[in-house]
Amino acid sequence: MHKQTIKDALFWTVILFNTVLEVPDGMSMPAQIFGAGTIFFLVYTLLDKCKEVTKKVRQA
């Protein structure tokens, strides 16, 4: 895992939860943690894939 990518993914996960996404009132804590972890994983995967594509474009 890349340190900068993890920091970026954490940042964007926090931004998403503070602006767009809402946690339902009756949701249990484990479900909230699972939801946030899932969003973090998706954002991390997206950022990592974007870095790979950027490297390929720059090499071409």
Side-chain angles (χ1 to χ4, degrees):
M1 290 189 173
H2 300 93
K3 191 175 185 179
Q4 188 62 38
T5 306
I6 292 172
K7 287 180 185 178
D8 291 342
L10 282 172
F11 172 75
W12 286 110
T13 302
V14 169
I15 294 295
L16 280 171
F17 274 101
N18 284 334
T19 57
V20 179
L21 304 175
E22 291 183 15
V23 178
D25 293 333
M27 192 176 224
S28 66
M29 184 58 72
Q32 290 179 21
I33 292 170
F34 177 76
T38 303
I39 298 297
F40 170 77
F41 176 74
L42 292 173
V43 171
Y44 174 79
T45 304
L46 177 69
L47 289 173
D48 198 40
K49 187 55 100 174
C50 288
K51 285 186 179 188
E52 289 177 15
V53 170
T54 303
K55 281 184 182 179
K56 288 180 182 178
V57 168
R58 287 182 181 168
Q59 288 178 354

